[in-house]
Amino acid sequence: MRYALLLSWLLLLDGVTAVGQPAPVCDRAEFLADFISKHHIRPPSRQELATRMAKNGFRTLDPFGVLFTQDQINRHLQDPALNDPLGKALDKCQWLGGWRAMYSVALNDYAGWLEQNLGKPLLFSSTDSLNVWTIGEHPMASAQLHQHRMRLAKYQVLERMRTQKLTGRSSARFAELEASARAFVLQKEKKVVRELDSLFLDKLLPLVAQSFDPHTTYFKHQEAEEFKASLSTEISAFGFSLQYNDLGELVVMAVQPGSPAWKSNEIHEGDVLVSLAEGNDPSVVQDMSPAELYEKLGAITRAQLTIRKKTGALKTVELQKEVIENRENTVSAILLEGEKKVGYLSLPSFYSSWSNDRPKGIAQDVAQAIMKLNREKIDGLIIDLFDNGGGSISEAVELIGIFIDFGTVGVSRQRNEELALIRDMNKGIIYGGPLMIMVNSQSASASELLASSLQDLGRAIIVGQTTFGKGTGQQIFTLPDTEQARPDMVKITNGIVYRVFGSTYQKKGVIPDIEIGRSDGITDRESALPFCLESDSIRKKVYVNPKTISTLSELRSRSNKRQAQDTALRELLAYEQKIKTPIALTTEGLDAFIAGLTAELPQADSTRFKAKTALADQTVLRIDAFQKNLLESQLKDLETSVQLQEAFQIMVDYLNLQK
């Protein structure tokens, strides 16, 4: 399980309101299941869906494994009264009563345990440790459950003590800090117990959607409205939207292209917001209600955000609000000047926007950036898709068309439809020179279509790590059974994308031509997500004329030799292993663990290039001091990036071997 606990543990949604009485909720659950089944590309049978919902219920309602043992779960799953969540019994909501009764017993047991064990000082020892990567795995029996609860409680108390010291909210004396933190944890957990009804009912409809596949999602009207508001083009904003996940953490839901958050190149979809600071006043956002957080974000114009990346590393990013009026300069044209002159473009996502007068999306912005780089007479081009979770498939196709003349770039299948070729219909290319695509374990969806297509056509060298493995497409539907003025929505997986020759990257990912660093990564991929769609292949006649990069074997051999001797790459591997090390449950142990997360990533031993902006952008930067400082920091990061240093040298070798 990915690291999800730095500042919040079992803190579920604040201010949750009940969806309604059980019977109407059961009716809505059945309606939602039918609606999704009609549109889903591979809907499970009703019995399979019911079984998934039952299993998913324990993950959703006990995400940290503190309520049930695995033995109890196995017994509960054999109970017909609990394993019929779509209401085929005479009393269609009988199962809900059974689940609530079972959950109530477990919560009451947990409440009693909390009172007994958090009503007195805790004993901390360096011989006691917690492995945050295994949180959520249910202990087998009662004795292990008690140990698991105690370790999590100690961790939470230690983390609260650390927060109190950092924000100056309490005395530095250990006994006083421990008592205050323990009281805070006890009250927070008791609050969770009290909110049984609202919490249970509020999670029921999302549970239905999540049981189809990991990417089918139910949205309340308010969540949909907040997402649309985040994409406004006429507001003063930092440029990102947030939503609470099942763990009560604030997760970045979207980043506005062209916004301060986008330009920082540090904030991505899926990042967790840990703290928010204005000046020297840090605020732990998990302590705030949603209203308090949005009020604070609205009141300030400059902020330091501490975010937790998917790797578990903490990153502090300084942002300044801007009036977001358009998407100009969303893709920065950067030159890497060393033995060769190489263009570099970083693409955090595939966005698309259509107005009444003109289309605007990432493909057009990339085309403009490449024209700037072409004027610099670059020898090659690197496109960085690290942590790019995807977006618009149509923009990915347009982007592929920048590098090929025209033709087939993939195959798609929609529900109840024949296989269809995905084609670039625009003749001509904007860039025909040597091309490299950088990917990692969090490059997904549209990123994988771009990488796999250019790989299959022999148009680009793919370097980095095996990608995420999301070969599915989703569409957002308005639910017809909700208020017309305030409709709920559901995002449904209704398509699968295949590679040019019929194989799939679903659940497999795109394997790079040349691997840089680790291949397994330290975060979950598609294959680790519950109920992900299985991979398959198709047969479809495709007429393409792929090229062959004859020097790949030699390039791979040279890179492997360099990497074997690269100290920085070995340090990066050690850094990733350190994150997986169990935390010693003492103040010193937690401090050491956090220090490891906040430490600078290993940097390259020496730089093979100097990074600078394209000449066409330098005039703008001279009149925007804040953006200039931000970009200079990014350029420094590029020069010390272990992965980019190796990618640049692979490009240099490629260019030399071509001659």
Side-chain angles (χ1 to χ4, degrees):
M1 174 183 175
R2 68 168 58 112
Y3 181 60
L5 258 160
L6 272 179
L7 292 172
S8 176
W9 167 68
L10 209 63
L11 175 60
L12 297 164
L13 296 179
D14 285 335
V16 171
T17 56
V19 175
Q21 296 302 313
V25 171
C26 289
D27 290 339
R28 288 220 66 205
E30 189 165 1
F31 171 83
L32 183 62
D34 290 338
F35 184 86
I36 296 175
S37 293
K38 290 177 183 177
H39 298 281
H40 199 275
I41 184 68
R42 290 182 190 167
S45 67
R46 184 52 63 95
Q47 182 55 51
E48 171 62 18
L49 181 60
T51 301
R52 290 183 181 185
M53 285 181 62
K55 292 180 179 178
N56 223 1
F58 289 103
R59 294 191 189 98
T60 302
L61 297 173
D62 187 16
F64 295 100
V66 296
L67 301 180
F68 303 98
T69 66
Q70 190 60 52
D71 288 341
Q72 289 173 322
I73 291 174
N74 294 338
R75 288 196 301 271
H76 289 320
L77 290 176
Q78 301 302 315
D79 185 349
L82 301 176
N83 202 15
D84 187 27
L86 291 174
K88 295 305 178 184
L90 180 63
D91 178 359
K92 66 168 21 178
C93 244
Q94 179 181 359
W95 67 270
L96 182 57
W99 269 87
R100 292 175 69 180
M102 172 194 69
Y103 195 50
S104 180
V105 170
L107 280 173
N108 287 333
D109 174 70
Y110 181 52
W113 185 92
L114 288 169
E115 290 283 4
Q116 179 181 354
N117 291 278
L118 295 188
K120 56 189 177 183
L122 297 174
L123 299 176
F124 299 95
S125 169
S126 59
T127 60
D128 201 7
S129 63
L130 173 70
N131 189 338
V132 296
W133 291 86
T134 61
I135 293 170
E137 298 177 4
H138 290 86
M140 282 303 298
S142 298
Q144 288 81 17
L145 180 63
H146 173 81
Q147 293 175 347
H148 181 57
R149 286 174 173 176
M150 182 58 74
R151 286 170 182 155
L152 287 173
K154 288 180 179 180
Y155 172 83
Q156 190 181 11
V157 170
L158 287 170
E159 183 53 57
R160 182 65 185 179
M161 291 168 63
R162 184 174 182 277
T163 300
Q164 289 174 322
K165 287 192 292 185
L166 288 176
T167 56
R169 299 182 186 183
S170 180
S171 164
R173 293 178 58 187
F174 182 89
E176 293 180 13
L177 281 173
E178 193 272 347
S180 174
R182 185 162 32 83
F184 174 85
V185 172
L186 178 59
Q187 291 305 312
K188 180 167 67 70
E189 297 308 304
K190 288 168 67 175
K191 180 183 177 183
V192 173
V193 173
R194 291 194 302 269
E195 292 179 346
L196 163 64
D197 286 352
S198 61
L199 188 146
F200 191 96
L201 296 178
D202 198 69
K203 290 182 175 294
L204 178 57
L205 296 180
L207 181 64
V208 174
Q210 293 163 8
S211 297
F212 279 82
D213 75 276
H215 309 291
T216 294
T217 310
Y218 168 82
F219 294 108
K220 293 180 183 176
H221 174 76
Q222 182 179 353
E223 293 170 336
E225 288 299 304
E226 289 174 357
F227 175 75
K228 287 189 289 185
S230 73
L231 300 180
S232 170
T233 59
E234 298 179 348
I235 58 173
S236 177
F238 295 116
F240 61 90
S241 61
L242 299 165
Q243 66 179 356
Y244 283 94
N245 64 12
D246 288 339
L247 309 180
E249 298 171 317
L250 281 162
V251 179
V252 175
M253 178 168 59
V255 179
Q256 167 70 48
S259 69
W262 171 278
K263 293 175 184 177
S264 75
N265 204 31
E266 297 286 1
I267 299 177
H268 297 85
E269 179 184 345
D271 290 344
V272 175
L273 179 60
V274 174
S275 68
L276 170 67
E278 182 185 19
N280 296 319
D281 179 26
S283 301
V284 180
V285 295
Q286 278 80 6
D287 291 348
M288 297 182 181
S289 68
E292 290 172 335
L293 175 66
Y294 283 110
E295 181 180 358
K296 186 171 182 68
L297 283 171
I300 61 178
T301 58
R302 194 162 182 164
Q304 283 189 336
L305 311 175
T306 299
I307 57 173
R308 188 176 73 244
K309 308 299 290 183
K310 293 178 181 179
T311 60
L314 293 183
K315 183 79 175 180
T316 297
V317 184
E318 185 173 350
L319 296 181
Q320 179 174 292
K321 278 184 179 176
E322 295 178 10
V323 176
I324 306 172
E325 296 178 343
N326 55 49
R327 289 182 167 85
E328 298 299 329
N329 300 319
T330 55
V331 178
S332 296
I334 293 174
L335 287 169
L336 310 179
E337 292 190 334
E339 183 179 337
K340 302 290 182 180
K341 186 185 288 187
V342 177
Y344 172 86
L345 304 176
S346 177
L347 311 184
S349 71
F350 288 79
Y351 56 84
S352 181
S353 175
W354 289 84
S355 60
N356 293 329
D357 54 346
R358 60 172 183 158
K360 185 73 170 174
I362 194 168
Q364 183 174 336
D365 290 343
V366 167
Q368 291 172 351
I370 289 177
M371 285 188 283
K372 296 175 185 177
L373 293 170
N374 280 337
R375 290 198 289 271
E376 304 275 357
K377 301 187 184 304
I378 57 174
D379 300 307
L381 177 65
I382 296 175
I383 293 182
D384 187 346
L385 299 181
F386 271 31
D387 296 328
N388 185 321
S392 169
I393 292 293
S394 61
E395 286 295 328
V397 175
E398 293 284 333
L399 195 50
I400 295 168
I402 290 175
F403 307 110
I404 66 170
D405 192 1
F406 69 95
T408 300
V409 299
V411 183
S412 70
R413 166 172 279 157
Q414 302 292 317
R415 180 185 168 107
N416 298 327
E417 294 183 12
E418 296 293 324
L419 293 169
L421 297 180
I422 304 173
R423 296 176 60 84
D424 163 41
M425 303 301 293
N426 300 315
K427 284 198 171 186
I429 60 175
I430 294 176
Y431 178 77
L435 179 64
M436 177 180 291
I437 309 294
M438 294 179 65
V439 295
N440 67 357
S441 64
Q442 296 304 298
S443 304
S445 193
S447 291
E448 294 174 289
L449 174 60
L450 175 68
S452 66
S453 296
L454 295 178
Q455 185 181 52
D456 289 344
L457 297 173
R459 181 62 189 87
I461 298 174
I462 314 301
V463 304
Q465 301 170 359
T466 300
T467 60
F468 185 80
K470 180 181 179 292
T472 60
Q474 287 71 39
Q475 182 177 350
I476 295 179
F477 295 83
T478 298
L479 288 173
D481 70 325
T482 53
E483 289 183 51
Q484 200 166 19
R486 296 179 57 81
D488 294 346
M489 297 182 179
V490 60
K491 181 178 68 174
I492 302 175
T493 298
N494 67 339
I496 299 178
V497 177
Y498 297 90
R499 299 179 66 148
V500 172
F501 300 110
S503 63
T504 182
Y505 48 82
Q506 168 62 22
K507 202 176 177 181
K508 298 177 179 178
V510 178
I511 300 173
D513 297 310
I514 302 174
E515 189 173 282
I516 299 178
R518 293 179 65 90
S519 61
D520 57 344
I522 52 176
T523 55
D524 289 340
R525 287 191 172 93
E526 176 84 359
S527 58
L529 302 180
F531 316 130
C532 68
L533 270 61
E534 293 298 324
S535 58
D536 65 348
S537 59
I538 49 96
R539 289 188 176 183
K540 177 76 174 176
K541 286 186 178 181
V542 178
Y543 299 96
V544 294
N545 185 25
K547 299 178 181 179
T548 299
I549 300 177
S550 59
T551 56
L552 265 182
S553 178
E554 175 63 19
L555 291 172
R556 188 180 300 115
S557 175
R558 293 186 183 188
S559 178
N560 289 341
K561 289 179 181 178
R562 277 193 304 271
Q563 291 187 55
Q565 300 172 356
D566 194 316
T567 304
L569 277 172
R570 290 198 298 271
E571 289 176 351
L572 186 62
L573 174 60
Y575 173 87
E576 294 174 349
Q577 292 301 317
K578 187 187 300 182
I579 292 177
K580 291 188 175 183
T581 302
I583 305 170
L585 292 174
T586 62
T587 54
E588 296 80 9
L590 181 59
D591 287 343
F593 183 76
I594 299 298
L597 292 179
T598 56
E600 290 282 342
L601 285 173
Q603 297 182 345
D605 296 327
S606 60
T607 184
R608 297 182 172 99
F609 58 80
K610 181 71 176 176
K612 68 176 188 178
T613 57
L615 188 62
D617 289 335
Q618 291 178 12
T619 302
V620 176
L621 294 176
R622 281 197 291 269
I623 61 175
D624 188 341
F626 185 82
Q627 183 62 26
K628 181 174 181 289
N629 292 336
L630 186 63
L631 187 56
E632 286 176 349
S633 176
Q634 292 175 16
L635 296 177
K636 182 180 178 181
D637 288 343
L638 295 181
E639 291 174 0
T640 56
S641 167
V642 179
Q643 295 97 331
L644 184 56
Q645 286 291 327
E646 178 57 31
F648 179 84
Q649 188 58 49
I650 295 171
M651 176 62 81
V652 170
D653 287 347
Y654 181 38
L655 293 168
N656 289 333
L657 287 171
Q658 276 191 321
K659 290 183 179 180

